[in-house]
Amino acid sequence: MDEDASGTAGGGRRARTPGGGAAPEPEPISPAAPEEFGLVQAWWGDGKGKTTAAMGMGFRAAGHGYRVHMVQFMKGGADSVDAVRGEYNAIAAIPGFSYENTGHYGWHGLLDGSADDDHEAKALAAFERAEAIVSGSREADLSTPFPLDGDPDAGVHMLILDEILYAADRDLVDPDAVVDLVESKPDGLELVVTGSHAEPTYLDGVADLITNVRKVAHPFDEGQRARRGTEF
């Protein structure tokens, strides 16, 4: 096998890759702008990992110096989890990644002491925040870096709307309004939406990536409660 095909030292295939065949090393995070953002991603299904996948992309984008913001629609609090969330601590430690939680205590539709009207009000407030951030991003130049501690209303490169699909599935937010929001986003904004066990068919032909996170087995079905470090 010749040197070019084998990828050995001296200019093989690995040397011609973007990374030159070298193992990546961590670098300081400084403001930057993405070159290929602008898709719409939707993560739904009855399996665990939708929010985790979205936040994982958020951390990856922030690691490149891109401005990332997450709005959580329905994660307020419950008796099954502590007041502290590991993801919030981690986000606070990462430059360029911010979040806000407009969720309400408990869960919509369950007899857990929370009022469904309050859930609806909180979900609508989250949707208004999402509209404001999309509007700010529409007015911004997404081809340029943003301050890592900048106001998300002034524009972001990636916007994560966590559990907005649950809110739409439960008629707390109009699904048609979700479509309008998606279609109103600027070309360079990467928009990630999550939630709902029911298929968001209204996003067919609207979202570029639709992933069904399917449950095969879940410890919750055997009575396992949420665990610190995995669920919160």
Side-chain angles (χ1 to χ4, degrees):
M1 181 178 293
D2 61 32
E3 182 178 290
D4 224 36
S6 67
T8 55
R13 284 183 300 189
R14 283 181 297 177
R16 296 197 299 271
T17 63
E25 296 288 341
E27 300 176 353
I29 297 175
S30 58
E35 297 180 357
E36 297 183 292
F37 271 19
L39 300 184
V40 177
Q41 302 189 34
W43 295 73
W44 71 280
D46 63 353
K48 170 180 165 58
K50 300 179 288 296
T51 295
T52 302
M55 287 193 296
M57 283 187 290
F59 282 115
R60 179 176 287 158
H64 285 290
Y66 308 153
R67 187 67 178 89
V68 180
H69 189 70
M70 177 174 69
V71 178
Q72 291 195 307
F73 276 65
M74 299 184 69
K75 281 191 172 71
D79 291 340
S80 60
V81 299
D82 295 346
V84 66
R85 302 287 175 84
E87 60 265 38
Y88 296 168
N89 296 340
I91 288 172
I94 301 296
F97 198 165
S98 55
Y99 75 93
E100 54 193 289
N101 184 329
T102 63
H104 186 66
Y105 170 83
W107 190 254
H108 179 263
L110 297 182
L111 299 176
D112 54 14
S114 61
D116 286 354
D117 287 347
D118 291 336
H119 285 288
E120 182 176 7
K122 293 287 188 178
L124 291 174
F127 190 79
E128 290 175 0
R129 285 295 298 134
E131 288 181 314
I133 296 168
V134 168
S135 177
S137 298
R138 196 163 47 242
E139 298 298 321
D141 183 355
L142 299 184
S143 67
T144 61
F146 295 139
L148 298 180
D149 60 352
D151 186 343
D153 293 68
V156 297
H157 298 116
M158 175 183 286
L159 177 60
I160 301 169
L161 302 180
D162 186 38
E163 298 190 334
I164 186 174
L165 303 183
Y166 276 126
D169 183 44
R170 294 173 175 271
D171 292 324
L172 303 178
V173 172
D174 187 346
D176 290 338
V178 175
V179 173
D180 290 342
L181 178 68
V182 170
E183 293 182 336
S184 73
K185 82 168 189 67
D187 290 341
L189 175 63
E190 190 83 5
L191 183 61
V192 183
V193 297
T194 78
S196 183
H197 289 188
E199 183 176 1
T201 55
Y202 51 88
L203 291 180
D204 289 349
V206 177
D208 300 285
L209 179 151
I210 300 177
T211 297
N212 178 3
V213 182
R214 185 172 64 89
K215 181 183 75 172
V216 176
H218 201 305
F220 285 4
D221 295 338
E222 303 301 322
Q224 172 70 56
R225 292 171 67 86
R227 295 178 297 154
R228 178 188 287 258
T230 57
E231 281 75 47
F232 65 90

